[in-house]
Amino acid sequence: MRNFEYYSPTKIIFGKDTHKQVGEEVKKYANKILLHYGGGSVKKSGLYDQVVNSLNEAGVEFIELGGVQSNPKLGLVYKGIELCKENNIELILAVGGGSVIDSAKGIGMGVKYDGDVWDIYNSHKTIRDQPSLPIATILTIPAAGSETSPNTVLTNEKTLIKTGAMSKYVRPVFSIMNPELCYTLPKYQMACGVSDMLAHTMERYFTNTEAVDYSDRLLEASMKSIINMGPKLVYNMQDYDTWANIMWAGSMVHNGILGMGREEDWASHDIEHQLSAVYNIAHGAGLSIVFPAWMKYVYKQNINKFIQFAVKVWDVDLSYENPEAIISECILRAESFYKKIGLPIRLSEIDIDGTEFKAMAKRVTEFSTVGNFKKLEEEDIVQIYKLALK
Amino acid sequence: MRNFEYYSPTKIIFGKDTHKQVGEEVKKYANKILLHYGGGSVKKSGLYDQVVNSLNEAGVEFIELGGVQSNPKLGLVYKGIELCKENNIELILAVGGGSVIDSAKGIGMGVKYDGDVWDIYNSHKTIRDQPSLPIATILTIPAAGSETSPNTVLTNEKTLIKTGAMSKYVRPVFSIMNPELCYTLPKYQMACGVSDMLAHTMERYFTNTEAVDYSDRLLEASMKSIINMGPKLVYNMQDYDTWANIMWAGSMVHNGILGMGREEDWASHDIEHQLSAVYNIAHGAGLSIVFPAWMKYVYKQNINKFIQFAVKVWDVDLSYENPEAIISECILRAESFYKKIGLPIRLSEIDIDGTEFKAMAKRVTEFSTVGNFKKLEEEDIVQIYKLALK
């Protein structure tokens, strides 16, 4: 196990009706805020009105900026930064899923950064821990884990580069998580969220760090829970208990605590980011396509880790004399899980062909190899895209 | 799952050599501190000198108070409060295990409390979130989880009452955890620590709250890890990797995060506290005696939960047609685990007879029933002590 530091001060307020406390909670930090959200769904569902009421009751002044799209765009972040500066905003309240929260984090850092905010994202990890306006969230889509994480990902719509930044200052000061707010999500979006949180767990699980048995067990428990609970929502999107478990799992697997002392991988995320930047597909759907292909390409790197994954997570019960058969079966089960919740597992299913493979692989590896379980170069990425094709 | 709030801002600094950063870390919070520790072991091991060097190098002034005993006593806490007040102490650095940290927390709250600090402990939970001087720790015994928890337990050596308090203000501002510091522990103390952390997990696991599948899985993963790793230390007390996993598990199972959304039990802790208060036995050894007896007494409350525990934690592989056989086997395995790491499982093994059962049971239930999985009254406690006898 490696040395590590862990610090996660986000206050989590979890459960039924908790979003109604938002005004009172915000008031502890700020008198004037930016209310940031996405499309029409928060208005249609009535959430917007409830938030506004709560803010008004608490005497919190706000201006608003809606219109965050999935794969959130740099353009809107620039707009948010302007708004915050003009209005002396003290905190940004993101009401939505990971895209809205990530956009809020971009705005928050941009306000405090003396230059183009894109530098922070595009700096290939040289700008770390950029100060930010405080961020708070009401989470409506369990998926990205951004409600407790120090991470944010943005897409530059001009260059088609999608990339992330990390700062301890963008960990939300509080996050309100009410599973009831998920009832009105489209099923496909639920599935994409489940895929994203499963991916966050796998990115941490596949490591070459030795002697991380305890976090291995916690990650396996998380993967099994996500795999068992996800499909229940396909049958009943109003299942409070399942949403509550899924929502909590989504935060747990991405607040950092389950990856402590381990080197993490993140190749599949990097490989996927190009897909969603170029084709504007949902991140979770990109991951359900990329991850099986990545597994096929890298498993020989550490056969025993993959056997453990197959046996402990996917309950594969075949003879250990043929490890390849165990691993093939486990990848089949993963694919079958994605199909069960309604996600694609091949690029051809969503009409993507090989035209851009070379260009995307080049962008993925522009500054370095990606991944740690196996370090991947441009040609490796092309091969993985090809394995994902059909 | 129940609604909950979670907030755990302790910064964890984990790994080899990390204790040498203590001065620099303390300096962020305070210029003058109380250095609090136990007996001679921190001096014998050289840790004391390293801490003092680091504090001196960082220019941190300190006064010191050693002599914390296991089952830490109120008397020393009074002395610490005096010292802190006289010397305008700004932070208390606890170097040791749960006893030292709990004692530090008592002192920290006492300094800020206008009255007898024992009120806070003896108030039967009416004084919550008492302000405190900041607490920081260097952990040397993975067990109590006090290094990240809001809890503290003290013994009033005059009345023989051992009881706890809880305040968000005593969660340490930082905790340094270097597994190497555990190498010199006596084996028995290692075993008691392992028993304590297993107990912290079981106290959360046994609940009547429904639909807590995800935290059930995390708790099972934690119990399995503790059960698998504990015995490895019996054979090699210098096994860094095992200590690292055990130490991290000890914090994880008691920082609160695995109990979110669940009603917890805590009867066995309350029942044990009387044993260690009256007979001054190690808390972990009291728990290895009380927990099997508690299981025998309460399992009928929720047979399915106990079957799940037997199957998922203890790998009992018997026919589901006879649940009682499954549960008996699981309790046998738990007892066998405790024996394997060198702990007693019956009171008679440590020369405790039934003389005090009635009086202890009366004190345990003086203000209310204990436990939530099954609410226990005075007579129930007597029965559990009897089951623990031989």
Side-chain angles (χ1 to χ4, degrees), chain A residues 355-374:
Chain A
T355 328
E356 294 291 322
F357 286 178
K358 192 81 190 157
M360 291 194 299
K362 200 178 172 66
R363 282 197 293 273
V364 174
T365 53
E366 191 175 356
F367 298 100
S368 70
T369 60
V370 293
N372 288 306
F373 186 70
K374 181 178 169 74

Side-chain angles (χ1 to χ4, degrees), chain B residues 99-118:
Chain B
S99 297
V100 177
I101 302 171
D102 282 7
S103 180
K105 289 174 175 179
I107 296 170
M109 290 193 293
V111 171
K112 299 276 184 179
Y113 182 69
D114 196 18
D116 182 352
V117 67
W118 189 241

Side-chain angles (χ1 to χ4, degrees), chain B residues 60-310:
Chain B
V60 174
E61 213 183 319
F62 65 92
I63 56 163
E64 53 184 285
L65 178 64
V68 180
Q69 297 171 296
S70 61
N71 302 313
K73 308 296 185 284
L74 181 61
L76 195 71
V77 167
Y78 287 142
K79 199 167 162 190
I81 295 169
E82 284 294 291
L83 270 177
C84 287
K85 285 183 172 169
E86 282 163 14
N87 293 280
N88 296 313
I89 291 300
E90 295 160 356
L91 175 147
I92 305 171
L93 175 64
V95 180
S99 297
V100 177
I101 302 171
D102 282 7
S103 180
K105 289 174 175 179
I107 296 170
M109 290 193 293
V111 171
K112 299 276 184 179
Y113 182 69
D114 196 18
D116 182 352
V117 67
W118 189 241
D119 296 346
I120 304 166
Y121 287 78
N122 207 24
S123 67
H124 321 296
K125 323 296 176 197
T126 53
I127 300 180
R128 277 279 180 123
D129 287 335
Q130 163 61 32
S132 171
L133 284 182
I135 309 297
T137 89
I138 297 178
L139 182 66
T140 61
I141 313 175
S146 192
E147 67 278 10
T148 60
S149 83
N151 307 99
T152 152
V153 176
L154 288 182
T155 297
N156 182 329
E157 58 271 53
K158 288 191 182 142
T159 60
L160 290 187
I161 287 176
K162 180 176 178 179
T163 183
M166 185 188 248
S167 165
K168 64 182 176 188
Y169 298 106
V170 300
R171 282 209 199 247
V173 290
F174 70 83
S175 280
I176 291 177
M177 299 163 71
N178 175 357
E180 292 173 309
L181 301 178
C182 308
Y183 290 175
T184 52
L185 276 180
K187 264 187 196 170
Y188 187 71
Q189 217 167 348
M190 172 281 289
C192 287
V194 167
S195 166
D196 198 14
M197 61 181 77
L198 181 60
H200 291 160
T201 325
M202 295 192 291
E203 298 282 22
R204 293 185 163 87
Y205 188 68
F206 289 105
T207 184
N208 296 310
T209 310
E210 291 180 353
V212 285
D213 302 59
Y214 179 49
S215 50
D216 267 5
R217 294 300 90 72
L218 294 175
L219 291 164
E220 288 156 1
S222 300
M223 290 187 275
K224 279 189 286 191
S225 296
I226 294 165
I227 292 162
N228 287 330
M229 292 184 297
K232 290 174 76 177
L233 294 173
V234 175
Y235 300 105
N236 179 9
M237 287 285 285
Q238 270 82 49
D239 177 348
Y240 181 85
D241 287 325
T242 300
W243 270 122
N245 279 279
I246 281 274
M247 195 171 215
W248 184 221
S251 277
M252 281 293 291
V253 302
H254 203 47
N255 71 14
I257 204 162
L258 302 189
M260 287 302 104
R262 316 165 63 94
E263 186 177 56
E264 304 182 353
D265 189 61
W266 298 99
S268 300
H269 264 73
D270 286 337
I271 297 169
E272 193 295 312
H273 283 164
Q274 275 305 311
L275 283 175
S276 43
V278 174
Y279 297 102
N280 206 30
I281 61 171
H283 177 53
L287 288 167
S288 65
I289 292 168
V290 169
F291 242 112
W294 176 84
M295 289 178 189
K296 290 170 197 169
Y297 193 75
V298 307
Y299 76 88
K300 287 192 177 131
Q301 190 69 16
N302 187 338
I303 297 261
N304 285 341
K305 193 91 195 180
F306 266 89
I307 295 178
Q308 178 177 285
F309 176 63

